Amino acid sequence: MLKATIKEVAAEAEVSTATVSRVLNNSLKVSIEARQRVSAAIAKLNYEPSAIARSLKQDRTFMIGIIVPDITNSYFMEISKGIEDTVGQSGFQLMFCSSDENTDKEGRLLQLLNEKRVAAVVIATAGGNGDKIMSMSRSGLPVVLIDRSLDGQDGSNQLDLVAEDNKASAYMLTRRLLQDGHSALGVVNGPSCVSTGRERYEGVLQAIREWGIDEPSHLYNGDFSVEGGIRAVRQFGQTGSMPTAIVSLNNRMTFGVLLELIRRGLHIPSDVAIASFGEVESGQLLKNPKLYYIDQQPYDMGKRTGELLLSRMSKEKRSADPHVEIFHHQIKCIL
C-alpha cells in the first residue's frame, strides 16, 4: 500500500500544502478549524511525514551525532541516555559512534556525520582533531564537548564543554590512600593526549608531592581500557615489589586491575588497596573490598549536554558565548 503524500492530506483537508506543513511544525499561524481538519485528514490517511524530505528542506536532519571513545563503557552509556532523554522530547534521535581512542577513526567519523547533515555533534575527543571540530563549529553546526576539552583548551573554551573536575577528584582519591598509610603507590593513567589523562595525573602528582613523595613508585600509561588495567598490574608485578595501593584513573582500567589482581591470588585491600576514578560495579562482588571510587554523575552530565544542544539548535542561542560546566564529585567506598 502506497503511503499518503502531503498533497493528498491537503486535498482531504481542503487546505494548501503550506498549511499542512505549518500544522506539522506546530506553527501558530493556523486557525483552530484548519488545524482540526488537517489533523483529521492525517489520521484518516495514516500520513507519516518524510524525514528525508524534511531534512532536505531544512538542510539538516533531526539526528545528533555522538562520538565517544567506547560506547560500551557504562559511563558513556549513561551520558548518552541523559542526552537521549532530554533531546528525544523535541523529536531528535541519536547516532552513536565509537572512536576507540583512535584519532584517525575519529576524523573519519566527524566527516561522516558532516556528510549525513546531522543537526549537532557531541564528542568526547580522542585528540588530534581540534582543527576539524572547530571548522565544523564555525560552519554553524552546534558542537558540545563532553568529558574532554580540545588540545590546549582551558577555562576560555571556544566551544560548549560539559566535563568533570578531573584534577581535584584525582587529588582527593590519591590523598585518601596516602591518609590510609600507603606510600608505595601504583598509578594506572590514561593517555596523555587527552585532557582527562593529563588532568587526572596532575591531581595525583599534586597529592603525592604535598605528601613529600616526588614520583609514584609504579606508573603505567594505559589507554582507558580493561586490557590496559591488566597490563598495568603485570608490569607492576615484574618489578619484584607490587605497590601496596593502586590509583586507577578510569573505571574500565580499574576492572582490568581487579581481574589481574584476583588471578594472582591477591586480596583487596589487605594485599593491594584500590582507588578508582569511577565506580566499578563488579567491585561489590568482592568480599570486604573497601574499594574507594569517585562517584561520577554521567546521567546528569548527559542531561545538561542535551539542554545545551537544544539551546544551541534554536537560532536565537547559536551566537551566545560558549558555556563551560564542570561537575564536582565526592569519594565513596564499597564496603
Side-chain angles (χ1 to χ4, degrees):
M1 181 178 178
L2 295 176
K3 292 183 177 181
T5 67
I6 193 171
K7 290 183 178 180
E8 291 171 332
V9 172
E12 177 69 27
E14 298 181 348
V15 297
S16 67
T17 55
T19 298
V20 176
S21 180
R22 292 190 189 101
V23 172
L24 292 172
N25 289 299
N26 295 317
S27 172
L28 298 177
K29 300 177 180 180
V30 183
S31 68
I32 296 176
E33 180 187 359
R35 189 180 299 276
Q36 290 174 342
R37 292 208 309 271
V38 170
S39 298
I42 289 173
K44 179 179 178 180
L45 299 175
N46 293 317
Y47 173 71
E48 295 181 3
S50 169
I52 295 176
R54 192 180 181 191
S55 64
L56 287 173
K57 183 178 180 180
Q58 300 185 5
D59 198 30
R60 288 289 178 199
T61 64
F62 277 72
M63 298 294 296
I64 295 173
I66 311 287
I67 302 178
V68 297
D70 182 4
I71 197 62
T72 66
N73 187 328
S74 60
Y75 173 74
F76 290 114
M77 289 173 65
E78 283 291 307
I79 286 177
S80 299
K81 178 63 174 170
I83 297 172
E84 185 175 45
D85 286 351
T86 305
V87 304
Q89 300 173 18
S90 298
F92 290 94
Q93 295 180 317
L94 306 186
M95 181 184 298
F96 299 104
C97 308
S98 290
S99 68
D100 300 322
E101 299 286 8
N102 184 300
T103 297
D104 292 337
K105 183 179 180 182
E106 179 180 283
R108 293 193 298 271
L109 291 172
L110 285 167
Q111 183 63 32
L112 173 66
L113 294 180
N114 210 23
E115 292 172 356
K116 293 293 184 182
R117 310 302 294 164
V118 294
V121 169
V122 177
I123 181 167
T125 181
N129 285 300
D131 290 342
K132 182 172 292 188
I133 293 170
M134 289 305 303
S135 176
M136 293 171 70
S137 175
R138 285 191 292 267
S139 74
L141 180 68
V143 177
V144 178
L145 303 175
I146 185 73
D147 184 58
R148 304 171 179 185
S149 62
L150 294 183
D151 297 341
Q153 280 194 305
D154 52 22
S156 57
N157 284 281
Q158 301 177 57
L159 297 174
D160 291 328
L161 169 68
V162 179
E164 300 172 303
D165 193 342
N166 290 295
K167 183 175 180 179
S169 296
Y171 171 86
M172 290 190 300
L173 202 61
T174 306
R175 187 174 175 83
R176 178 60 59 87
L177 290 176
L178 293 168
Q179 290 172 336
D180 284 354
H182 299 283
S183 57
L185 294 182
V187 179
V188 185
N189 190 28
S192 59
C193 61
V194 298
S195 60
T196 45
R198 295 191 299 271
E199 293 167 2
R200 292 175 188 180
Y201 188 56
E202 288 173 3
V204 171
L205 289 179
Q206 180 183 346
I208 64 173
R209 287 171 180 170
E210 286 182 3
W211 214 260
I213 304 171
D214 292 330
E215 300 290 338
S217 62
H218 299 72
L219 174 63
Y220 180 85
N221 289 309
D223 53 4
F224 288 149
S225 69
V226 175
E227 293 74 17
I230 293 172
R231 290 192 294 268
V233 174
R234 290 175 179 172
Q235 176 179 296
F236 296 165
Q238 291 172 357
T239 64
S241 58
M242 186 71 73
T244 63
I246 294 176
V247 181
S248 176
L249 299 176
N250 164 270
N251 61 339
R252 298 283 282 175
M253 294 192 302
T254 305
F255 182 61
V257 167
L258 293 174
L259 281 177
E260 188 60 23
L261 288 175
I262 292 171
R263 286 172 185 161
R264 291 169 175 262
L266 297 174
H267 297 88
I268 301 161
S270 56
D271 294 321
V272 183
I274 301 293
S276 172
F277 201 111
E279 184 179 5
V280 182
E281 293 180 356
S282 59
Q284 300 179 37
L285 300 176
L286 301 175
K287 184 177 181 180
N288 302 319
K290 196 181 179 182
L291 192 156
Y292 296 118
Y293 67 93
I294 291 295
D295 185 28
Q296 297 172 295
Q297 301 164 274
Y299 183 79
D300 292 337
M301 290 175 65
K303 285 186 65 178
R304 187 68 189 103
T305 301
E307 292 167 356
L308 279 172
L309 286 169
L310 293 176
S311 173
R312 291 304 183 194
M313 287 186 291
S314 64
K315 293 181 180 179
E316 64 272 14
K317 295 293 183 66
R318 289 199 176 188
S319 61
D321 292 336
H323 179 85
V324 177
E325 186 149 343
I326 305 299
F327 279 69
H328 302 277
H329 304 310
Q330 295 180 332
I331 296 177
K332 289 192 175 182
C333 183
I334 300 176
L335 298 173

